[in-house]
Amino acid sequence: MKQTGLKFLSVLLSLALLFSLVVPAAAADLATPFEDSRFYHQGDYSIHYRVIEPEGESKGNILCLHGFMYSGESFAPMAQLLSEAGYTCVLVDLPNFGYSTRENAGTELIEREALVEGLMEELAPGEGWILAGQSMGGGVALNIACEKPEAVQALLLYAPAPVNGLPDGVRGLLTSDFMGGMLSFMIKIAVQMSCLVRLMMYMATMDWTYSQAYNLPTLTDPLTVEGTGLGMMYMVTTARPTDYEALAGLEMPILLARGDRDMVVSGAMSEAMDAALASAEKVTVEGAGHMLNETHAELLSEQALAFLAQHLG
């Protein structure tokens, strides 16, 4: 039985090596992905971000944190509308995504929350921030709000996903070179299959028209960055778990929006989050899926602006 398992793993590894050689994949440009790209450096990390400035005086700073497999660009539609209304919006690529550092065995690990907090302090020392987070980014935003409530004026959460800790026994396996290589191999193949990517987009958005018109390189280009697969495994195994008891103590204004067709965040996860954030203003967007911050950017921006005007003036 053990020999069969080893043979199977050997075949998978051989296939991964073979396809990585015969299937072309253009590497994304880490140096200048956008004309206005900026990088924040802390320890071994280089965190990519963009700033969308308002034309006049800024009403406040909104830091946008994306979901799993995506980048700060997922908040670009909302950021454009919010900046037109007078807010400075910062689109951040969390570690292992977008054009930020990919973690590996040689990285002296720093928690995502600490990196984001460092960026906030560098950009606006001593000032309060509005944190906008979708899915995974919502979980990161909540952790920051619990740790540094004095730095967070308000939370805008879109289908926030809690983080659950993993048993120590599986961490070594998930962060092995084999697992990282296999995931990188699968991503490399998948991003070249536009039909598959659009199908996954549909499952995330529940909007076929939007998925068909989506500019795929916005999603797929960052996934071609070397080390993405292994970096994701490091993130999964080291991410700070959600502390529901701490969430219950948050006092800043919280807007929590979800789509009624979300296929990613389970009902049980939503119920646990709702119970912990009992005082949050909750909104359900009809017809929206998990990526409602993209598909319903105009509606959500209007809601956010009204919410901020009511609570922050």
Side-chain angles (χ1 to χ4, degrees):
M1 196 67 180
K2 291 182 178 180
Q3 290 182 345
T4 302
L6 289 174
K7 288 181 180 179
F8 178 67
L9 292 177
S10 298
V11 171
L12 285 179
L13 181 58
S14 298
L15 287 173
L17 294 173
L18 174 62
F19 278 96
S20 67
L21 292 174
V22 302
V23 179
D29 183 0
L30 283 174
T32 55
F34 301 94
E35 291 184 358
D36 59 347
S37 287
R38 303 186 191 183
F39 291 89
Y40 165 70
H41 301 282
Q42 183 176 339
D44 291 338
Y45 291 79
S46 177
I47 302 300
H48 175 258
Y49 67 97
R50 295 176 61 218
V51 180
I52 313 299
E53 301 276 7
E55 289 188 3
E57 184 177 352
S58 178
K59 295 180 180 179
N61 300 314
I62 302 178
L63 190 137
C64 303
L65 301 171
H66 61 86
F68 188 76
M69 295 290 287
Y70 293 93
S71 69
E73 290 307 294
S74 67
F75 266 101
M78 282 192 68
Q80 186 60 46
L81 295 169
L82 294 171
S83 67
E84 291 173 1
Y87 288 91
T88 300
C89 295
V90 180
L91 310 181
V92 181
D93 291 349
L94 292 169
N96 307 305
F97 299 98
Y99 298 96
S100 292
T101 292
R102 269 48 174 173
E103 295 170 325
N104 55 48
T107 307
E108 187 172 342
L109 298 177
I110 300 175
E111 286 190 321
R112 298 174 297 180
E113 291 80 4
L115 292 166
V116 173
E117 291 163 5
L119 173 61
M120 292 161 56
E121 183 62 22
E122 177 167 284
L123 294 180
E127 295 184 21
W129 284 81
I130 300 159
L131 300 186
Q134 188 264 339
S135 192
M136 175 186 74
V140 175
L142 285 167
N143 284 346
I144 294 172
C146 290
E147 184 175 41
K148 292 189 174 294
E150 70 282 359
V152 181
Q153 295 177 315
L155 289 168
L156 306 175
L157 305 175
Y158 302 102
V163 178
N164 298 315
L166 292 176
D168 291 336
V170 303
R171 291 180 178 175
L173 173 63
L174 292 180
T175 58
S176 65
D177 290 339
F178 175 79
M179 288 297 295
M182 284 302 301
L183 182 56
S184 294
F185 156 69
M186 290 187 288
I187 292 173
K188 184 181 294 186
I189 299 299
V191 297
Q192 296 178 76
M193 302 171 64
S194 59
C195 292
L196 175 60
V197 178
R198 292 195 188 280
L199 177 60
M200 295 177 67
M201 283 292 300
Y202 170 69
M203 295 176 65
T205 63
M206 300 308 292
D207 187 329
W208 188 247
T209 300
Y210 185 88
S211 301
Q212 288 300 297
Y214 197 81
N215 180 27
L216 291 186
T218 302
L219 170 63
T220 58
D221 278 2
L223 296 176
T224 67
V225 173
E226 187 69 26
T228 293
L230 183 58
M232 286 182 183
M233 291 295 94
Y234 269 85
M235 186 221 73
V236 168
T237 60
T238 60
R240 184 191 304 179
T242 301
D243 185 342
Y244 287 101
E245 291 185 7
L247 295 189
L250 294 178
E251 298 181 351
M252 72 281 295
I254 302 173
L255 175 63
L256 196 165
R258 293 194 185 90
D260 65 352
R261 302 182 67 194
D262 193 330
M263 296 179 62
V264 177
V265 177
S266 69
M269 293 165 66
S270 295
E271 290 174 4
M273 189 71 73
D274 285 350
L277 301 175
S279 63
E281 180 177 321
K282 301 176 179 69
V283 176
T284 299
V285 181
E286 294 185 5
H290 189 60
M291 290 176 59
L292 67 167
N293 59 312
E294 290 203 46
T295 58
H296 292 69
E298 185 173 352
L299 172 62
L300 295 181
S301 295
E302 292 175 357
Q303 292 175 347
L305 291 170
F307 178 81
L308 295 175
Q310 176 185 354
H311 293 280
L312 301 183

